[in-house]
Amino acid sequence: MQTRKIIATAAMAVAIVAAVAAVVAYYYRYNPVESYSPRCVVKYLTGYDCPGCGSQRALHALLNGDFSAAWHFNPYVFVSFPAAVYFIVVEAGRRRWPRLHRLSTSVPVIVAVFALTLGWWIGRNL
């Protein structure tokens, strides 16, 4: 039983690493400005930038070492990407670090992340 659980966990980890590697390889190689990439539905429908608008171009710039261009496209990626990695690690380790998981997924933290994102969304469209 324990071996099966370890194999399933390892398979999940390999799948996640493969998916992340594929995304990183795609955005390293293909510039979203010059190649086909999904466009923002919010911007298309409303004309306003969503919190993630420019993230594809920013990720491409970051992977190619152009931090100033990444900042120009969407400075929020410097907050959101590390935060996303943090929450993924916390969720993956919820059994190992239950106290950290409980704290990181508490209502005040979720409200703060939501407020920060909402503030960025409003602020970038003023």
Side-chain angles (χ1 to χ4, degrees):
M1 188 69 156
Q2 186 68 10
T3 305
R4 216 180 268 170
K5 192 180 229 183
I6 292 171
I7 291 172
T9 303
M12 179 63 75
V14 168
I16 291 170
V17 168
V20 169
V23 169
V24 167
Y26 176 81
Y27 282 110
Y28 175 76
R29 174 75 176 101
Y30 297 104
N31 186 346
V33 174
E34 299 168 355
S35 63
Y36 171 77
S37 291
R39 302 293 182 231
C40 180
V41 176
V42 173
K43 176 119 180 168
Y44 177 77
L45 293 175
T46 67
Y48 292 108
D49 289 334
C50 78
C53 278
S55 294
Q56 294 179 75
R57 292 171 286 160
L59 181 57
H60 174 75
L62 278 174
L63 292 171
N64 287 280
D66 192 350
F67 295 100
S68 65
W71 184 268
H72 170 75
F73 290 131
N74 188 345
Y76 195 58
V77 299
F78 290 92
V79 174
S80 62
F81 286 172
V85 170
Y86 169 79
F87 283 111
I88 289 168
V89 169
V90 165
E91 186 60 33
R94 69 179 168 201
R95 287 195 178 111
R96 176 179 264 178
W97 310 297
R99 188 172 167 195
L100 178 63
H101 182 268
R102 202 169 32 259
L103 176 67
S104 298
T105 58
S106 66
V107 172
V109 171
I110 292 170
V111 169
V113 169
F114 178 75
L116 182 66
T117 304
L118 187 62
W120 167 243
W121 193 350
I122 292 168
R124 78 181 310 196
N125 285 296
L126 292 178

